Amino acid sequence: MNALTRFFRAPWTFWIALLLITWALSTWSFPLYKALDARWIIRFPAQLQVPLDVWLTAFFKWLQNDADLFLFTFRDLTRFLSSLIEWPYDQVRALMADGFESGQGSNAVEIAPPLSWIAVIFILIALGRYARDWWLAALVGGCFVYLAVFGQWDSAMVTLSSVIIAVPIGVALGLGIGILTYRSLWFDRLIRPLLDLMQTVPVFAYLVPVLVLFGFGPVAALIATLIYATPPMVRIASLALKSVPTEVVEAGRIVGCTERQMMWRVLVPSAMPTLMVGVNQVIMLTLNMVIIASMIGAGGLGFDVLSALRRLDIGGGIEAGVAIVVMAIALDRLSQAFVRRPPSAILPADLGTLRRHPWLVTTLVVVVVTYLLGLFLPAVQSYPAALTLTTGTFWSDAMEWININYFDTFEAVKSFFLTVLLLPVKRFFSGIPWAWGIIAMGLAAWRVGGWRLGLMAALMTTFIAASGFWAKAMITIYLCGVSVLIAYAIGVPLGIWAGQNTRVNSVVGAIMDTLQTLPSFVYLIPVVMLFRVGDFSAMIAIVLYALAPAVRYAAHGIRSIDPQMIEAGLVSGCTPRQLLWRVKLPLAAPSLLLGLNQTIMLALSMLVITALVGTRDLGQEVYIALTKADTGHGIVAGLCVAFIAIIADRILTALSKSSKQRVEAA
Amino acid sequence: MQRKVKLTCQNVWKLYGAHADGLLKGDTQPNDADLQRTNTIGAVRDASLEIGEGEIYVIMGLSGSGKSTLVRCLSRLIEPTAGKITFDGEDLLAMSPKQLIDLRRTKIGMVFQHFALLPHLTVLQNVSFPLDIQGVDRVTRETRAMEMITTVGLEGRENYFPNQLSGGQQQRVGIARSLVGDPEIWFLDEPFSALDPLIRREMQDEFLRLQSLLKKTIVFITHDFDEAIRLADRIAVMKDGRIEQIATPEQLILHPASDYVAEFTQHIAREKVLSLRSIATPDMTAGEFAGDLSGSLKVAEAADVIEGANAPFRVLDEDGTPIGQVTSEIVIDVLIGRTHR
Ligand SMILES: Nc1ncnc2c1ncn2[C@@H]1O[C@H](COP(=O)(O)OP(=O)(O)OP(=O)(O)O)[C@@H](O)[C@H]1O
Ligand SMILES: [Mg+2]
């Protein structure tokens, strides 16, 4: 009797029971439905489904066609917004890629060519030198020389133009909204859940409404990019302003700053290092999104990859993919160098422009000289086509060789994983009846974070079931779950190893840095080439993409343990193994949980992109909606993904909070 | 020694918590139980003080006793929950934002515990910042800032950034910045607490030297009783948001108002604080004196002389009138810290 009560009291009894019931119901739900002839067990009753998607589609139709905002129509508003972005975009694109023209269409006459490739590379080298040193200058210059030599220049400049337009707008918008959240607590409260949602809704989901409202083309792509890249800047700006030390704010007040002086002379400059981290983020997110947005007309490198993937042109895809990577690395390192740049020494004003701004002056001279020379020497203007190298055939041959020689090996690996791991898990999740799914989710969340969290989780799960996406959502969870499991199983040991060994740490750190720099799109290319389309390919791409936070947080958690704790363990005679399991891991638990949280978020965002390689989850629903321009369908499927992400995030946050309390209480 | 009153506060309260305002409605004053019940923190409770012109007024108390909060109420960096504050007789709490900005630009300077320098500005730019935001032209403000930089002994480092300076140097910049507008009142919130003991000592000397030149009205916050004793004309001792006692250093040592205050005074080298005036006994019955001593001499300075003689000394006031006598027994009492015979 006593043993029995103890069993029910034990903390893990709840979880075992929950798992067992879920497993039983999942296994028997189909026979049960047959036996009782109750179809509602496995399918959400159609008459109860909420046609939210239909309503949304109708709403967007109305917005686009009939909505009248008194003085102007909604369509005028979208047109106005597009023209606001279109004009500067056209100018930058003309400067970087197309050249300036007068006249329309076939009558167009070129007035001036775009910046010559030499000038662009020189500007980047100058920026690298200015931001840090000659090494960086060489790296950045080298990256862009690569783009020229390997024939990716034109597409790269189109992509770069989008980045050049999107980054300042994104940064300014983010900073502006961040300032508002700093000034008004009320606004901060209002905007926070919105930011949460924007960062968890998969990117494809807002490609759809943007496409519907703004039409296919680079402007729509830029707007989608801004929607994607601005929220993190808002967060960082808000955080940066709030973490300016109170004393500095008070110092500003006591010397008599006005509100405006306070913001622009004290707060923003003091927060600058953190704000620059935000700028780096915006650049990387923009690059990532500009490539995804090639689906709605961004053009450039992303378009090259996309069309190569569609044609299954292995060489072309890899070439463009590598070009994206090269550009991403160059922009990332450059902007990071600006983040870390110490303030420059003040030079006396009477030194003359040349002495004070040697780089600016030289760069201007180079631009003008190459422009003039370019008028006579085409090789100065654009890199001579005859000298470009192509790696396309090399990649194709390499892939072919691998496929011929190792096809069986790859197939064996793939089918092993499929039969042992993927399919059983898929069967388990797909079998869960929706009604129990809601209850189980609610119970789990309640257990971890109290009744509020339980209720929220149950409601969100109900939304998923009621919008008719239950089956797809389960596939999403299965694919995400398996990938996270594997990413975590690889990442945490790696992180622990790196956390205990500085040499390993620098190597692993560098690899993770590079992995995180790559736009998500790029991961698909090699995976598809080697494993064809399907769940397994998707899983590998997700694991690669989501690996970094698992490693990072584990390493960070181990490294930030108070050395005294470890000494205490050593003094009491722990073996290295005991030290790891009994001291380090429990102390690093909050950090490990945070890493898990981040891994899940990245996995979900990648999952949606893997719809391109033929998974059958919510991502695919969004993707289908995109191709059909079905707004409501896309948004609702996107919201489902967001809800899954939010539930996972809240549960893990609650877990990590309680484990943190435990660690700190000790 | 009657001074003109510069800054006063009467019955100032600062409460933190959801019910802060409600607790001070009308004339009621919340007690400990009220605060506990409503989950309110009484950072400053019913504080009243009066600061004279040219005075060094030290506010002393342990960490968390409400010193910073009180001084921020005095400069209205924090709005007090209740109470009255006057500056040169004017109601500070009634001032409009614009008046407040004007007042701060011209009459108030403040030094912070963690220096609060702007990281993106050089020493010169930091020091001239208060003038810059008032729109003073570049040449004037930089000339003035250079004067201040020289006064605090940082010449030659004006183009350094704060992170290239040591803590002591950074605080010198903070001091220069707070003085560049030639304020009438100078707030210092634990200005030397973040510094090493040796540098702290050096900075205290520096501070006294500056004050002997500038003669500002000073509100100086510290949690270090030695520092308070060394610098203060008067000390207000705070505990849990309340002011326990306001007195000169000598009175504080001779007549602590509570055990809490007495606790601080115990480990103080009394002979360096107490003057002959305060220990002299009024009876002058000895008939024969070894000599005359000025009342303002500290015990430590006169101890050798007094103990060397076999008769008591007569203690004289500033204007030469005798006020009492000191014997070697009394001096020994002070030196060994005996308070009752
Ligand atoms: N913004 C705030 N919200 C809530 N409580 C506060 C706030 N500011 C101060 N307090 C509380 O008021 C009390 C007094 O704080 P204050 O900073 O004035 O102390 P202090 O004497 O300056 O201490 P220290 O020597 O550590 O600087 C403390 O208990 C503190 O927790
Ligand atoms: Mg303080």
Side-chain angles (χ1 to χ4, degrees):
Chain A
M1 193 62 218
N2 210 348
L4 209 62
T5 41
R6 224 182 19 245
F7 173 78
F8 280 113
R9 290 267 171 77
W12 35 266
T13 310
F14 171 83
W15 295 107
I16 291 180
L18 193 69
L19 193 70
L20 279 179
I21 299 174
T22 311
W23 180 78
L25 281 172
S26 152
T27 316
W28 306 110
S29 65
F30 197 72
L32 203 64
Y33 138 62
K34 283 286 176 208
L36 299 177
D37 194 24
R39 205 174 144 68
W40 64 266
I41 292 179
I42 56 163
R43 277 208 154 256
F44 193 83
Q47 64 271 24
L48 288 184
Q49 256 181 40
V50 186
L52 188 62
D53 51 345
V54 179
W55 296 341
L56 277 171
T57 309
F59 172 70
F60 271 91
K61 272 228 174 69
W62 171 80
L63 262 188
Q64 196 194 355
N65 296 329
D66 308 317
D68 201 337
L69 310 173
F70 300 109
L71 295 178
F72 48 85
T73 62
F74 190 77
R75 172 169 278 205
D76 291 335
L77 181 68
T78 58
R79 285 220 179 110
F80 171 70
L81 280 178
S82 342
S83 64
L84 221 55
I85 295 181
E86 190 159 17
W87 189 83
Y89 175 74
D90 284 345
Q91 305 311 308
V92 171
R93 186 162 164 160
L95 182 70
M96 302 301 296
D98 298 345
F100 293 91
E101 294 177 342
S102 77
Q104 290 285 311
S106 53
N107 304 327
V109 191
E110 181 164 88
I111 310 171
L115 279 180
S116 67
W117 67 283
I118 298 180
V120 172
I121 290 175
F122 190 87
I123 291 171
L124 284 154
I125 290 178
L127 282 174
R129 173 68 187 80
Y130 176 76
R132 209 177 73 203
D133 53 12
W134 282 113
W135 284 112
L136 183 66
L139 174 77
V140 176
C143 285
F144 276 77
V145 168
Y146 170 92
L147 294 177
V149 172
F150 287 86
Q152 304 293 323
W153 189 261
D154 293 342
S155 293
M157 286 307 112
V158 171
T159 300
L160 192 59
S161 318
S162 300
V163 174
I164 290 175
I165 286 295
V167 169
I169 302 180
V171 168
L173 265 180
L175 182 61
I177 301 175
I179 287 176
L180 287 182
T181 64
Y182 178 83
R183 287 237 169 111
S184 147
L185 196 65
W186 173 86
F187 184 76
D188 188 35
R189 290 228 182 95
L190 192 80
I191 200 111
R192 209 147 274 274
L194 207 66
L195 291 179
D196 278 350
L197 197 67
M198 299 249 301
Q199 283 192 299
T200 42
V201 170
V203 290
F204 280 1
Y206 41 78
L207 288 188
V208 192
V210 167
L211 180 66
V212 169
L213 292 179
F214 293 93
F216 187 89
V219 172
L222 274 175
I223 288 174
T225 305
L226 285 175
I227 297 176
Y228 176 67
T230 307
M233 183 70 202
V234 175
R235 260 178 217 280
I236 292 179
S238 170
L239 182 77
L241 292 175
K242 278 177 197 155
S243 42
V244 172
T246 330
E247 281 198 348
V248 172
V249 179
E250 288 174 340
R253 293 232 173 285
I254 209 77
V255 301
C257 285
T258 60
E259 284 302 313
R260 175 180 303 203
Q261 284 173 329
M262 220 32 227
M263 186 52 71
W264 298 106
R265 308 283 312 263
V266 176
L267 286 166
V268 170
S270 300
M272 201 40 100
T274 318
L275 289 177
M276 285 304 288
V277 174
V279 175
N280 171 263
Q281 279 253 336
V282 173
I283 293 179
M284 298 322 286
L285 290 177
T286 301
L287 194 58
N288 190 4
M289 186 63 183
V290 158
I291 285 158
I292 293 170
S294 60
M295 282 177 207
I296 59 170
L301 291 172
F303 177 77
D304 295 352
V305 175
L306 194 65
S307 59
L309 273 184
R310 284 189 182 138
R311 277 181 280 128
L312 276 183
D313 167 7
I314 301 174
I318 295 187
E319 261 190 319
V322 171
I324 293 173
V325 173
V326 164
M327 197 156 121
I329 290 177
L331 292 184
D332 179 55
R333 295 300 126 89
L334 193 59
S335 52
Q336 293 228 13
F338 271 101
V339 173
R340 305 217 176 95
R341 207 174 105 75
S344 54
I346 308 294
L347 294 173
D350 51 5
L351 216 55
T353 321
L354 179 63
R355 296 277 298 283
R356 281 200 300 155
H357 306 287
W359 285 105
L360 193 64
V361 175
T362 331
T363 308
L364 277 177
V365 170
V366 170
V367 168
V368 172
V369 168
T370 53
Y371 169 73
L372 293 175
L373 276 180
L375 296 179
F376 309 104
L377 290 173
V380 173
Q381 176 54 42
S382 42
Y383 187 81
L387 292 183
T388 51
L389 304 175
T390 170
T391 48
T393 40
F394 164 77
W395 291 116
S396 305
D397 292 349
M399 280 295 165
E400 201 163 312
W401 182 79
I402 290 177
N403 274 330
I404 289 171
N405 290 289
Y406 293 100
F407 183 77
D408 294 337
T409 325
F410 281 130
E411 280 304 294
V413 170
K414 184 168 148 184
S415 55
F416 172 78
F417 268 98
L418 276 173
T419 42
V420 172
L421 189 64
L422 290 173
L423 290 178
V425 178
K426 187 175 186 171
R427 220 173 296 128
F428 170 74
F429 275 107
S430 305
I432 300 176
W434 59 269
W436 175 251
I438 294 172
I439 297 172
M441 193 49 105
L443 282 176
W446 161 76
R447 179 79 187 198
V448 171
W451 66 269
R452 261 170 209 270
L453 189 63
L455 191 67
M456 189 188 90
L459 282 178
M460 286 184 167
T461 319
T462 311
F463 175 89
I464 295 173
S467 48
F469 285 119
W470 184 257
K472 302 276 177 179
M474 284 301 113
I475 295 196
T476 306
I477 293 180
Y478 126 76
L479 205 49
C480 177
V482 170
S483 312
V484 167
L485 204 69
I486 294 179
Y488 212 58
I490 300 173
V492 170
L494 211 58
I496 292 173
W497 192 29
Q500 297 174 313
N501 183 327
T502 26
R503 262 240 296 293
V504 177
N505 187 43
S506 61
V507 175
V508 171
I511 296 175
M512 290 304 133
D513 268 352
T514 317
L515 278 182
Q516 283 211 312
T517 314
L518 306 190
S520 41
F521 218 65
V522 171
Y523 288 86
L524 295 179
I525 305 167
V527 173
V528 175
M529 305 290 168
L530 293 176
F531 297 103
R532 310 286 175 280
V533 295
D535 285 6
F536 184 69
S537 304
M539 184 195 85
I540 294 197
I542 299 171
V543 167
L544 284 177
Y545 187 67
L547 195 58
V551 178
R552 282 255 169 84
Y553 279 89
H556 173 76
I558 295 286
R559 242 179 295 129
S560 50
I561 294 173
D562 182 357
Q564 288 190 11
M565 296 277 193
I566 294 175
E567 280 163 11
L570 284 174
V571 165
S572 38
C574 284
T575 62
R577 169 189 291 262
Q578 284 172 326
L579 198 63
L580 179 65
W581 284 96
R582 310 288 284 275
V583 180
K584 291 183 180 175
L585 284 185
L587 285 175
S591 195
L592 289 177
L593 280 171
L594 265 181
L596 181 58
N597 194 347
Q598 283 299 308
T599 308
I600 293 179
M601 294 305 130
L602 284 191
L604 274 173
S605 70
M606 186 65 192
L607 186 66
V608 175
I609 291 166
T610 58
L612 288 175
V613 298
T615 54
R616 303 230 171 286
D617 57 3
L618 286 170
Q620 192 212 22
E621 291 296 320
V622 185
Y623 187 51
I624 290 173
L626 182 61
T627 52
K628 288 197 217 151
D630 181 350
T631 334
H633 197 76
I635 294 181
V636 173
L639 276 179
C640 290
V641 179
F643 285 171
I644 293 175
I646 290 174
I647 293 173
D649 174 71
R650 294 300 131 84
I651 288 183
L652 283 167
T653 311
L655 268 180
S656 101
K657 212 181 258 165
S658 64
S659 83
K660 199 170 187 171
Q661 273 163 4
R662 227 173 303 140
V663 168
E664 275 163 7
Chain B
M1 210 174 33
Q2 210 45 36
R3 300 176 197 262
K4 202 176 136 229
V5 172
K6 189 79 189 165
L7 183 66
T8 71
C9 76
Q10 287 152 34
N11 312 98
V12 165
W13 289 77
K14 179 67 196 178
L15 302 181
Y16 286 109
H19 310 285
D21 289 328
L23 283 171
L24 284 165
K25 283 254 167 64
D27 285 336
T28 55
Q29 297 208 337
N31 54 25
D32 288 0
D34 293 335
L35 295 183
Q36 191 120 69
R37 184 169 42 79
T38 52
N39 222 340
T40 308
I41 298 172
V44 173
R45 303 202 235 164
D46 202 20
S48 302
L49 42 84
E50 211 166 84
I51 297 165
E53 194 166 296
E55 180 177 29
I56 303 182
Y57 199 102
V58 172
I59 300 175
M60 189 343 271
L62 296 179
S63 187
S65 57
K67 312 176 296 287
S68 296
T69 311
L70 177 58
V71 81
R72 278 163 177 72
C73 287
L74 291 180
S75 55
R76 227 182 127 189
L77 284 172
I78 294 179
E79 285 304 318
T81 318
K84 188 165 186 261
I85 296 171
T86 64
F87 187 107
D88 277 340
E90 246 184 291
D91 187 355
L92 190 75
L93 298 178
M95 286 187 182
S96 69
K98 201 175 160 327
Q99 282 174 308
L100 203 57
I101 286 178
D102 273 349
L103 179 82
R104 286 173 175 165
R105 286 184 174 181
T106 50
K107 301 201 170 148
I108 294 181
M110 184 155 173
V111 182
F112 295 88
Q113 181 172 0
H114 303 287
F115 324 135
L117 302 179
L118 295 172
H120 62 289
L121 300 182
T122 60
V123 169
L124 182 65
Q125 290 168 330
N126 259 298
V127 175
S128 56
F129 184 73
L131 301 178
D132 190 3
I133 59 153
Q134 293 175 31
V136 175
D137 72 280
R138 184 176 164 142
V139 177
T140 320
R141 69 171 190 254
E142 290 194 346
T143 319
R144 170 78 187 132
M146 274 315 296
E147 274 171 33
M148 277 335 295
I149 291 173
T150 314
T151 312
V152 299
L154 276 181
E155 64 273 37
R157 293 185 201 268
E158 57 273 6
N159 284 331
Y160 283 41
F161 284 93
N163 63 6
Q164 299 168 317
L165 298 176
S166 72
Q169 289 168 336
Q170 291 190 39
Q171 196 55 297
R172 284 167 195 266
V173 179
I175 288 174
R177 178 180 64 185
S178 69
L179 289 175
V180 78
D182 197 16
E184 293 172 9
I185 189 159
W186 195 19
F187 295 105
L188 299 102
D189 184 8
E190 303 205 28
F192 309 139
S193 296
L195 307 177
D196 299 334
L198 272 181
I199 306 199
R200 194 182 306 165
R201 189 98 193 159
E202 185 189 317
M203 294 291 283
Q204 287 165 1
D205 291 336
E206 179 81 20
F207 169 78
L208 287 172
R209 181 182 70 82
L210 276 175
Q211 171 63 358
S212 67
L213 295 175
L214 302 169
K215 308 246 187 303
K216 305 273 179 212
T217 305
I218 292 173
V219 181
F220 190 107
I221 309 282
T222 181
H223 64 245
D224 178 356
F225 194 64
D226 283 317
E227 189 169 72
I229 293 286
R230 233 169 99 78
L231 306 177
D233 290 329
R234 273 197 297 168
I235 301 177
V237 181
M238 285 189 80
K239 182 193 177 205
D240 297 337
R242 288 189 190 279
I243 296 183
E244 289 265 312
Q245 185 175 7
I246 301 177
T248 63
E250 287 191 77
Q251 284 168 339
L252 215 56
I253 289 178
L254 289 172
H255 314 290
S258 64
D259 291 348
Y260 179 77
V261 179
E263 187 77 14
F264 283 112
T265 62
Q266 253 169 27
H267 308 287
I268 289 297
R270 302 157 69 91
E271 70 278 8
K272 293 197 184 132
V273 182
L274 299 182
S275 58
L276 296 185
R277 183 190 303 118
S278 56
I279 61 163
T281 45
D283 68 312
M284 308 252 263
T285 49
E288 194 183 327
F289 292 104
D292 288 342
L293 289 170
S294 155
S296 59
L297 274 178
K298 297 278 185 258
V299 174
E301 296 164 322
D304 287 349
V305 187
I306 298 171
E307 283 170 19
N310 29 20
F313 276 85
R314 204 155 58 134
V315 180
L316 302 183
D317 212 347
E318 265 104 60
D319 46 21
T321 46
I323 46 174
Q325 65 169 12
V326 282
T327 61
S328 48
E329 284 85 9
I330 299 181
V331 170
I332 289 169
D333 283 351
V334 171
L335 287 178
I336 65 174
R338 182 162 47 198
T339 45
H340 306 289
R341 199 166 254 269

